[in-house]
Structures are given as structure tokens and as C-alpha cells.
Amino acid sequence: MRSPITVKLDPDFEDIIPQFLENRQIDLRRMAEALERADYETLRVLGHGTKGFGESYGFSYISEIGSQLEQSANQKSPDKIKRCVSGLTDYLDRVEVIYE
């Protein structure tokens, strides 16, 4: 198993972060479904939203992946999209939040 990724956040976020992370899991499923259909517009929109959500909640890596996903969807590059989805999956599996 790979090592955890620790993200330190303000305690004010403690009530909303679990739902935020669950919503990213839902987005992952939507991304996988859109990729199967080669629905690049849905992937672009999901990438754009992910880019905006991540930084707002203190998860800069999620924003980076969202930006890459949006660009990859614009390029209609399924291989790049798969790498983005895989990277986000790995990150969400490993992230541990510490409130301080």
C-alpha cells in the first residue's frame, strides 16, 4: 500500500470535508462513465468543476487534476483522461485530512 497523503485544513472545514470528498468519488464514477461513452463535453465540465472545487476546499492537487482533465477533454485524448482519473482515484484513496 502506498503511503498516505496528508492535507492540513482549518478546523472550520471539518463539517463539510467528508461530503466534499464523497462528492469527488461520485464525480469519479461520472468521469468513468463519460469516458466509456467518449463524452468529452461532460468530461470537460467535470474537469472544470473539479479544478474550481479543489483549491476552494484546500486541495490544490485536486485542482491540478481538474485542470489536466479539462485540457485532456478539450484535446479528446482518452489516454490522458484515463491518467487523470487514475491520479484522482489514487489521491482520494490515500488522502488523510488533519484539522489544525
Side-chain angles (χ1 to χ4, degrees):
M1 182 173 162
R2 295 179 54 170
S3 61
I5 300 167
T6 303
V7 175
K8 295 179 183 179
L9 299 176
D10 187 298
D12 291 343
F13 286 109
E14 193 166 1
D15 290 342
I16 60 173
I17 293 302
Q19 186 62 54
F20 169 79
L21 293 173
E22 176 58 31
N23 288 343
R24 302 304 59 84
Q25 293 288 346
I26 293 167
D27 286 347
L28 276 174
R29 290 190 289 276
R30 292 176 63 204
M31 290 171 192
E33 291 167 0
L35 183 57
E36 282 183 29
R37 296 188 313 270
D39 182 350
Y40 296 108
E41 178 59 16
T42 294
L43 287 159
R44 185 195 64 75
V45 170
L46 286 167
H48 183 79
T50 300
K51 177 177 65 174
F53 292 141
E55 197 67 46
S56 299
Y57 286 85
F59 296 91
S60 58
Y61 183 75
I62 290 177
S63 286
E64 291 172 29
I65 288 288
S67 179
Q68 292 172 17
L69 177 62
E70 183 179 21
Q71 291 172 10
S72 299
N74 281 332
Q75 297 168 357
K76 298 183 178 177
S77 176
D79 291 336
K80 289 181 182 177
I81 292 166
K82 288 176 189 173
R83 284 194 294 276
C84 292
V85 172
S86 177
L88 183 55
T89 300
D90 179 63
Y91 180 83
L92 291 174
D93 287 346
R94 296 171 49 207
V95 72
E96 291 182 1
V97 179
I98 296 174
Y99 301 98
E100 56 180 33

